[in-house]
């Protein structure tokens, strides 16, 4: 497996852990028989953890498809790996800024992550212009 493919797995785990951690921390308040109970997410940190989780679900498919497409279409693997690692770092920072209630920085990080995905996605189309 390539580094980028491991980053796909790590990104998946990140969005799962962003909500699982808050459920574990607040386990006495979490009712597993009603896992989507809106009352659990009344707490501001739980609501932000849910938001980070949901955004992770939204961001994951594009990232996974972009990486796999770039690899299958013969993009430069080293650059794909580097951008995938960068995307993962940005997503980790994104989750922390979401939990820390830093909306402006969070939006900047989201934009950077989206730009990284665009770069990975179009890499096969522009590979002949890259100095690699």
């Amino acid at each position: 497996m390539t580094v980028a493919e491991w980053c796909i797995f790590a990104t998946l785990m990140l969005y799962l852990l962003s909500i699982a951690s808050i459920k574990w921390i607040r386990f006495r308040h979490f009712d597993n028989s009603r896992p989507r109970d809106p009352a659990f997410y009344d707490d501001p940190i739980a609501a932000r953890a849910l938001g980070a989780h949901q955004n992770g679900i939204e961001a994951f498919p594009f990232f996974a498809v972009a990486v796999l497409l770039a690899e299958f279409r013969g993009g430069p693997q080293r650059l794909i790996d580097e951008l995938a690692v960068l995307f993962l770092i940005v997503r980790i920072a994104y989750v922390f800024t979401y939990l820390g209630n830093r909306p402006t920085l969070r939006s900047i990080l989201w934009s950077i992550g989206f730009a990284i995905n665009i770069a990975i996605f179009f890499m096969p189309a522009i590979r002949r212009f890259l100095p690699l």
Side-chain angles (χ1 to χ4, degrees), residues 5 16 22 25 28 34-35 59 62 81-82 93 100 114 118 122:
E5 290 163 359
L16 291 174
I22 200 68
I25 290 169
R28 288 190 175 100
R34 296 176 25 191
F62 184 34
D81 289 343
E82 290 170 353
F114 188 72
I118 293 288
F122 285 107

Side-chain angles (χ1 to χ4, degrees), residues 58-81:
E58 294 163 0
F60 177 76
F62 184 34
F63 174 64
V65 167
V67 167
L68 295 176
L69 176 73
E71 288 184 343
F72 294 154
R73 291 293 184 178
Q77 190 61 52
R78 182 169 173 242
L79 187 55
I80 295 168
D81 289 343

Side-chain angles (χ1 to χ4, degrees), residues 17-119:
L17 290 174
S18 64
I19 195 67
S21 60
I22 200 68
K23 289 179 179 180
W24 182 76
I25 290 169
R26 299 187 67 225
F27 73 94
R28 288 190 175 100
H29 303 285
F30 180 71
D31 182 2
N32 198 42
S33 65
R34 296 176 25 191
R36 301 196 194 289
D37 182 12
F40 178 77
Y41 301 103
D42 285 342
D43 177 64
I45 190 91
R48 290 193 300 271
L50 178 62
H53 170 73
Q54 290 171 336
N55 186 268
I57 292 170
E58 294 163 0
F60 177 76
F62 184 34
F63 174 64
V65 167
V67 167
L68 295 176
L69 176 73
E71 288 184 343
F72 294 154
R73 291 293 184 178
Q77 190 61 52
R78 182 169 173 242
L79 187 55
I80 295 168
D81 289 343
E82 290 170 353
L83 288 174
V85 168
L86 184 60
F87 178 79
L88 179 59
I89 292 168
V90 167
R91 288 302 300 182
I92 291 168
Y94 177 88
V95 169
F96 281 118
T97 57
Y98 213 128
L99 294 175
N101 198 22
R102 305 290 304 259
T104 302
L105 182 56
R106 183 183 80 220
S107 294
I108 291 167
L109 290 170
W110 183 91
S111 298
I112 292 169
F114 188 72
I116 293 167
N117 275 342
I118 293 288

